[in-house]
Amino acid sequence: MASKVYTKDRHIIQLATLVSGPGSILFKKADLAAYDCDGFTVQKYLPRAVVFPQNAEEVAAVVKYCSENGLPFLARGAGTGLSGGAIPINGEVIISLTRMKRLLSVDLENRRAVVEPGFINLKLTHAVSDQEYYYAPDPSSQYCCTIGGNVAENAGGAHCLKYGVTTNHILGLEVVLPNGEVVEIGKNGIPDAPGYDLLGLLTGSEGTLGIVTKITVRILKNPEAKQTVLAYFDRVEDGSQAVSDIISAGIVPAALEMMDKIAIEGVEAAAFPVGHPKDIEALLLIEVDGIRAGIEEQINQILEVCRNRNVREVRAARDEAERERWWANRKTGFGAMGAISHDYLVQDGVIPRSKLPEVLSKINEISQESGLRIANIFHAGDGNLHPLVLFDSRVPGETEKAIEAGSACLKACADAGGTITGEHGVGIEKKEEMRFVFTDEEIIAQTDIRKVFNHDNLLNAGKLFPTPGKCAEIKQELKKA
Amino acid sequence: MASKVYTKDRHIIQLATLVSGPGSILFKKADLAAYDCDGFTVQKYLPRAVVFPQNAEEVAAVVKYCSENGLPFLARGAGTGLSGGAIPINGEVIISLTRMKRLLSVDLENRRAVVEPGFINLKLTHAVSDQEYYYAPDPSSQYCCTIGGNVAENAGGAHCLKYGVTTNHILGLEVVLPNGEVVEIGKNGIPDAPGYDLLGLLTGSEGTLGIVTKITVRILKNPEAKQTVLAYFDRVEDGSQAVSDIISAGIVPAALEMMDKIAIEGVEAAAFPVGHPKDIEALLLIEVDGIRAGIEEQINQILEVCRNRNVREVRAARDEAERERWWANRKTGFGAMGAISHDYLVQDGVIPRSKLPEVLSKINEISQESGLRIANIFHAGDGNLHPLVLFDSRVPGETEKAIEAGSACLKACADAGGTITGEHGVGIEKKEEMRFVFTDEEIIAQTDIRKVFNHDNLLNAGKLFPTPGKCAEIKQELKKA
């Protein structure tokens, strides 16, 4: 796509004075090309410049400069986001937070850690694992994604069924507002702190309200024990019903993952095959954790539930090594699709658990109508579907067809009483699909809130919300008049 | 205190046409007197009228009328709030939601129930207990408080240590905005739904952003088993240290309550004495729940931790009847103070767990300085203190002294890195104390958000936020200019 090309203009010269250290600004076209998209690679735009501040003061100085000079800007972490939230669609100045990557403090007694936004998710668990603590949110990209990015997208992961998504683990934020002011939010990690819940509002706001420069997170004690069950089903309906039965039995698994036939074909063709049969329709991976004494009873209940639902084969992992192999196989997930398809598009919808069979069958219909294969790898326990539309971008028209099929999957989720994203965010990818779940009035209420923080809409504009329909615009004008 | 007295003016006549059924409006002074305060009885004001709508349409009609005619208004549930959030300090029209008290639906498969705002908290557990489900948030007033009020205050309770406060159990809201529009928020209970987290923003906003007319809540499966340990300590420090040790051991108790010597004197003089020794300095009540097989191991760990901290006596409940007696004794809590003092003032501060001994000793100093006894009954596990300042309002000057001592306790919490409310809200009671934890800029950011919803500030004005200091006002004027 066409992008303006910026040279070393007066703004670049000024911005360079605001960030310290060598290589703290990029402005040449060749350098900028690495920042023209994130994990959503369908649209590409060059930024005006990329700056690498070292601390909150430098972030604030850059933000203030941009704000005073009317330059669009946005924040970027590791760039692993899947919905295009860090793509500079307005030729933004990108504020990269990758140099602000320190672990500032660990307070085991109060179970907190303070990190800079560029700190890698998995490194936090590594830093406290000797003391048997860990950081719970575990997106599949956790070995490279940043906690700042996790806050922006309210990232989830396989173990969020039991432990909740990022917002449940954030105790406080230091934020640079779009006017350059630095504020602290939710200072002390109190579940019901006084005042409005700004911490919740900022978390998951996809970089449209402010730039996070410091994060206080909750760390958890390692569970005493964990065990995983693997179950193969000949029919998707039986697998889905087993999911409902496990939850109804009062078990709260740490993770409850499902893969369908095409997904199994993919992970078995990828880096960590484990020999799953290729003729089954559904596979469940069910992990429980907690006090050692309680694990065996739960595992027995899970085995029984699966047997009552016509499981072909079901058993617990023989040892830790096998458990880890099963998870490594599952975690190759999305990437594994590359082994069986030239291209693929990940979608991210959520449905009430009871609607699993109905929506999976609808996705199957969408696949047949579009002529494209759709794999399903997903967090079944919390109804978070990930249809993977397989296509070949070299075939004319197939990319468009894939995008259409992906959107149809989201429509099916919304129609089933669900919604259009469970953990990947809206970004630029799903702006229009927001209309599946929000009225114009509800979108306006949210853009009004954006205005409170981001008055001139210079920070990450054009993301998250569609333009409200014409009727709504007229209504808003009338209100103002 | 002085209050305006309203007669049957033209507004009353109009409002009466908007609410159906007999007795749907009160306007006589004698009738209004019952609504001049809530659980915060220090300030009293008469409302202009009290209306009792039967559905969202009637709420919207009343709100629209008030809004168009510049009449201040506010919503009220059971009136059990402890911070004055439902007190009509501006002679408001009170919209009582006590007639909207239906349980609209229960969906066990997806673990949800939909209730009207006037539905009593405990009734929800009663409605689903035959199927072995329950509603988790359990404020001490749960036998009479409404779920609508719980949403407004983001209510907590003894078992919120493990299960979280109200906001963690709300999946969706229908809300009448101050302009009379009806919107649905967080329609489908998705943990990371698209758009801004308005559900979190509304929950705990103390009735200043909208009036909730329908609530979708999460219901949980009963734990398979529960057990409670009672421990007596000669020294507060040992009790506090045991609290930290239990959490550090990786145990997440369902509840972890503490009472000090004066509190024990109170509960033993009240309705359900159980024979606690009166010469101990601290009592812990520790409940664990979950899979039966895991309970015994946790109980043994807890017993051991207490023994390592010089416990005088510690044991698990012999049977369910004893467990229930211990809890009934604890739940008489605040009310029990009436047995040993003419008046008492409940405070509600939060501190990091590790600061328990330091802050308890500071509260002791405040007590000595003021000459007033201060009892402590509190949720020790999550550091939510409830200092109860005992006083006699018949003694001139003692009420003021008690208010001052209460405020000093909150200051001690804030200074220890905590905050001024954990579950009772700010209301009118703690407006000024908001300055202990928020800067003027942070207060303005929040009142700016209030403006988005509550533009004319007719809905529950004068609550939650103090007027920002003069400097801030000038800054804001400069910004606008």
Side-chain angles (χ1 to χ4, degrees):
Chain A
M1 276 181 218
S3 281
K4 290 183 207 159
V5 180
Y6 300 95
T7 52
K8 190 167 175 179
D9 58 18
R10 67 184 175 94
H11 290 313
I12 306 254
I13 293 165
Q14 286 304 315
L15 285 167
T17 66
L18 305 175
V19 280
S20 61
S24 57
I25 185 163
L26 299 178
F27 54 88
K28 290 184 192 153
K29 194 176 167 189
D31 294 333
L32 298 180
Y35 294 86
D36 65 0
C37 73
D38 55 16
F40 181 67
T41 57
V42 177
Q43 294 187 35
K44 298 187 179 189
Y45 297 83
L46 284 190
R48 175 185 283 266
V50 184
V51 294
F52 299 87
Q54 310 246 21
N55 51 51
E57 291 66 40
E58 292 188 4
V59 173
V62 170
V63 166
K64 206 149 185 274
Y65 183 84
C66 290
S67 173
E68 287 172 359
N69 290 278
L71 302 181
F73 60 100
L74 62 80
R76 180 186 169 106
T80 56
L82 291 166
S83 54
I87 299 181
I89 56 173
N90 307 295
E92 273 88 352
V93 173
I94 290 184
I95 300 173
S96 167
L97 297 159
T98 47
R99 287 194 186 176
M100 291 174 62
K101 57 177 180 185
R102 286 178 302 165
L103 171 59
L104 297 173
S105 68
V106 172
D107 172 3
L108 292 180
E109 194 171 6
N110 292 302
R111 300 209 172 177
R112 297 172 187 184
V114 182
V115 301
E116 288 186 323
F119 190 70
I120 303 287
N121 175 304
L122 191 59
K123 282 194 177 172
L124 183 50
T125 291
H126 289 165
V128 295
S129 61
D130 280 355
Q131 289 83 31
E132 305 206 333
Y133 286 85
Y134 75 112
Y135 177 61
D138 62 337
S140 293
S141 57
Q142 69 178 139
Y143 62 93
C144 64
C145 66
T146 64
I147 293 182
N150 296 168
V151 170
E153 301 296 326
N154 191 11
H159 289 76
C160 291
L161 172 57
K162 180 167 179 178
Y163 294 102
V165 293
T166 299
T167 194
N168 303 114
H169 299 271
I170 302 299
L171 301 175
L173 296 174
E174 180 186 82
V175 181
V176 175
L177 297 180
N179 63 5
E181 255 178 40
V182 184
V183 296
E184 278 186 66
I185 292 180
K187 281 170 190 156
N188 301 308
I190 312 302
D192 178 22
Y196 297 141
D197 179 14
L198 299 187
L199 200 57
L201 189 67
L202 265 286
T203 307
S205 60
E206 304 197 11
T208 65
L209 300 182
I211 298 179
V212 168
T213 48
K214 203 192 285 178
I215 306 156
T216 305
V217 301
R218 185 194 307 284
I219 47 180
L220 299 181
K221 191 82 181 173
N222 284 351
E224 194 180 82
K226 50 177 94 167
Q227 176 59 296
T228 300
V229 167
L230 175 64
Y232 298 138
F233 293 89
D234 288 317
R235 286 163 19 100
V236 170
E237 292 70 24
D238 287 326
S240 303
Q241 201 52 61
V243 170
S244 283
D245 292 352
I246 290 166
I247 304 287
S248 301
I251 298 168
V252 184
L256 206 179
E257 302 284 298
M258 190 161 173
M259 287 197 270
D260 73 359
K261 197 170 186 167
I262 304 177
I264 293 166
E265 183 189 331
V267 294
E268 285 298 303
F272 302 107
V274 294
H276 297 314
K278 293 196 179 155
D279 61 335
I280 52 168
E281 269 196 11
L283 168 165
L284 291 183
L285 207 55
I286 310 144
E287 183 156 291
V288 291
D289 66 13
I291 304 282
R292 194 177 308 281
I295 297 287
E296 199 186 316
E297 183 181 324
Q298 291 181 74
I299 292 292
N300 287 338
Q301 273 183 286
I302 290 167
L303 296 174
E304 197 189 326
V305 160
C306 292
R307 288 186 190 119
N308 289 339
R309 292 292 173 187
N310 310 309
V311 74
R312 182 196 290 192
E313 195 186 325
V314 61
R315 65 181 177 81
R318 286 194 192 93
D319 49 34
E320 183 57 19
E322 184 171 59
R323 198 189 71 80
E324 281 178 9
R325 275 199 304 278
W326 289 352
W327 278 108
N329 172 275
R330 159 63 185 88
K331 288 200 173 175
T332 56
F334 302 169
M337 295 303 120
I340 60 168
S341 177
H342 191 270
D343 299 282
Y344 65 93
L345 185 83
V346 185
Q347 268 308 353
D348 175 37
V350 185
I351 54 169
R353 262 189 309 269
S354 61
K355 299 291 178 88
L356 264 179
E358 175 187 325
V359 174
L360 288 175
S361 129
K362 178 75 196 159
I363 290 174
N364 192 32
E365 275 171 37
I366 293 166
S367 164
Q368 280 168 3
E369 279 163 23
S370 67
L372 298 175
R373 301 214 296 167
I374 303 183
N376 288 288
I377 301 189
F378 58 98
H379 312 313
D382 39 22
N384 186 189
L385 299 183
H386 290 312
L388 291 138
V389 184
L390 310 187
F391 69 102
D392 188 338
S393 59
R394 297 164 306 184
V395 178
E398 226 172 62
T399 305
E400 292 69 25
K401 234 190 256 179
I403 291 173
E404 214 172 283
S407 180
C409 290
L410 296 184
K411 185 79 172 55
C413 292
D415 289 346
T419 194
I420 61 162
T421 174
E423 54 185 17
H424 297 172
V426 174
I428 50 176
E429 184 198 21
K430 288 184 282 278
K431 270 167 58 172
E432 287 308 314
E433 282 79 4
M434 287 286 271
R435 297 188 198 280
F436 296 164
V437 285
F438 291 110
T439 63
D440 278 345
E441 285 72 19
E442 289 161 349
I443 290 167
I444 291 170
Q446 296 185 71
T447 50
D448 282 352
I449 288 178
R450 180 176 60 192
K451 244 181 255 166
V452 169
F453 293 88
N454 188 5
H455 190 266
D456 304 319
N457 206 14
L458 287 171
L459 172 59
N460 219 3
K463 308 281 171 72
L464 192 47
F465 302 109
T467 314
K470 280 202 176 139
C471 290
E473 276 165 26
I474 292 164
K475 257 197 245 169
Q476 215 184 14
E477 287 309 311
L478 284 175
K479 258 191 228 169
K480 280 181 199 155
Chain B
M1 276 180 216
S3 280
K4 289 183 206 159
V5 181
Y6 299 96
T7 52
K8 191 166 173 177
D9 59 17
R10 68 184 175 93
H11 290 312
I12 306 253
I13 293 165
Q14 286 303 313
L15 285 167
T17 68
L18 304 175
V19 281
S20 61
S24 57
I25 185 164
L26 299 177
F27 54 88
K28 291 185 191 150
K29 195 176 167 186
D31 295 333
L32 298 181
Y35 294 86
D36 66 358
C37 73
D38 56 15
F40 182 68
T41 57
V42 177
Q43 294 186 36
K44 298 184 180 193
Y45 297 83
L46 283 191
R48 174 186 283 264
V50 185
V51 293
F52 299 87
Q54 309 245 22
N55 51 52
E57 290 67 40
E58 293 187 4
V59 173
V62 170
V63 166
K64 208 151 184 275
Y65 183 85
C66 289
S67 173
E68 287 172 0
N69 291 278
L71 302 181
F73 59 101
L74 61 79
R76 180 185 169 108
T80 55
L82 292 165
S83 54
I87 299 180
I89 56 174
N90 308 294
E92 273 88 352
V93 172
I94 289 184
I95 300 173
S96 167
L97 297 159
T98 48
R99 288 195 185 175
M100 291 174 62
K101 58 177 180 184
R102 287 177 303 164
L103 171 59
L104 297 174
S105 68
V106 172
D107 172 2
L108 292 180
E109 194 171 7
N110 292 303
R111 302 212 170 174
R112 298 170 186 185
V114 182
V115 300
E116 289 187 321
F119 191 71
I120 302 288
N121 174 304
L122 191 59
K123 282 196 176 171
L124 183 51
T125 291
H126 289 163
V128 295
S129 61
D130 280 354
Q131 289 82 33
E132 306 208 330
Y133 285 86
Y134 75 112
Y135 177 61
D138 63 338
S140 293
S141 56
Q142 68 178 139
Y143 62 93
C144 64
C145 65
T146 65
I147 294 184
N150 295 167
V151 170
E153 300 297 326
N154 192 13
H159 289 76
C160 291
L161 172 57
K162 180 168 179 179
Y163 293 101
V165 292
T166 299
T167 194
N168 302 115
H169 299 271
I170 301 299
L171 301 176
L173 296 175
E174 180 187 83
V175 182
V176 176
L177 297 180
N179 63 4
E181 254 176 41
V182 183
V183 296
E184 278 186 66
I185 290 180
K187 283 168 189 159
N188 300 306
I190 313 302
D192 178 21
Y196 297 139
D197 180 14
L198 299 188
L199 201 58
L201 189 66
L202 265 286
T203 308
S205 60
E206 304 197 10
T208 65
L209 300 182
I211 298 180
V212 168
T213 48
K214 201 192 285 178
I215 306 156
T216 305
V217 300
R218 187 193 308 281
I219 47 179
L220 298 182
K221 190 83 182 172
N222 285 350
E224 194 181 83
K226 48 179 94 168
Q227 176 57 295
T228 300
V229 167
L230 175 65
Y232 299 137
F233 293 89
D234 288 315
R235 284 163 20 98
V236 171
E237 291 70 25
D238 286 325
S240 303
Q241 201 52 60
V243 170
S244 283
D245 292 352
I246 289 166
I247 304 287
S248 300
I251 297 168
V252 183
L256 206 179
E257 302 283 299
M258 191 161 172
M259 288 197 269
D260 72 0
K261 196 171 187 165
I262 303 176
I264 293 167
E265 182 189 332
V267 295
E268 285 297 304
F272 302 107
V274 294
H276 297 313
K278 294 198 177 151
D279 62 334
I280 53 168
E281 270 196 10
L283 166 165
L284 290 184
L285 206 54
I286 309 144
E287 182 155 293
V288 290
D289 66 12
I291 305 282
R292 193 177 309 280
I295 297 287
E296 198 185 316
E297 183 181 324
Q298 291 181 72
I299 293 292
N300 287 337
Q301 273 184 285
I302 290 167
L303 296 174
E304 196 190 326
V305 160
C306 291
R307 286 182 192 122
N308 289 340
R309 291 294 174 186
N310 310 309
V311 73
R312 182 197 290 192
E313 195 186 325
V314 61
R315 66 180 177 81
R318 284 193 194 94
D319 50 32
E320 184 56 21
E322 184 170 60
R323 197 188 72 80
E324 281 177 10
R325 274 200 304 279
W326 288 352
W327 278 108
N329 171 276
R330 159 63 185 86
K331 286 198 173 176
T332 56
F334 301 170
M337 295 304 120
I340 58 168
S341 176
H342 190 270
D343 299 284
Y344 65 93
L345 184 83
V346 184
Q347 266 309 353
D348 176 38
V350 184
I351 53 168
R353 261 188 311 268
S354 60
K355 299 291 176 87
L356 265 179
E358 175 186 326
V359 174
L360 288 175
S361 128
K362 179 73 196 162
I363 290 175
N364 192 32
E365 275 171 37
I366 294 167
S367 163
Q368 280 166 7
E369 280 163 23
S370 66
L372 298 174
R373 300 214 298 166
I374 303 183
N376 288 288
I377 300 190
F378 58 100
H379 313 313
D382 39 21
N384 186 188
L385 300 183
H386 290 310
L388 292 138
V389 184
L390 310 187
F391 68 102
D392 188 337
S393 58
R394 297 164 305 185
V395 178
E398 223 171 66
T399 305
E400 292 69 25
K401 232 190 255 179
I403 291 174
E404 213 173 284
S407 180
C409 290
L410 296 184
K411 185 80 171 57
C413 292
D415 289 347
T419 193
I420 59 161
T421 173
E423 55 186 16
H424 298 172
V426 175
I428 50 177
E429 184 198 21
K430 290 185 281 277
K431 271 167 57 173
E432 287 308 314
E433 283 80 3
M434 287 287 270
R435 297 189 199 279
F436 295 165
V437 284
F438 291 110
T439 64
D440 277 346
E441 284 73 18
E442 289 162 348
I443 290 167
I444 291 170
Q446 297 184 72
T447 50
D448 281 351
I449 287 178
R450 180 175 60 190
K451 245 182 254 167
V452 169
F453 294 88
N454 188 3
H455 190 267
D456 304 320
N457 206 14
L458 288 171
L459 173 59
N460 217 3
K463 308 280 171 73
L464 191 49
F465 302 109
T467 313
K470 280 203 177 140
C471 289
E473 277 165 27
I474 292 164
K475 255 197 243 170
Q476 215 183 14
E477 287 308 311
L478 284 176
K479 259 190 226 170
K480 280 181 201 155

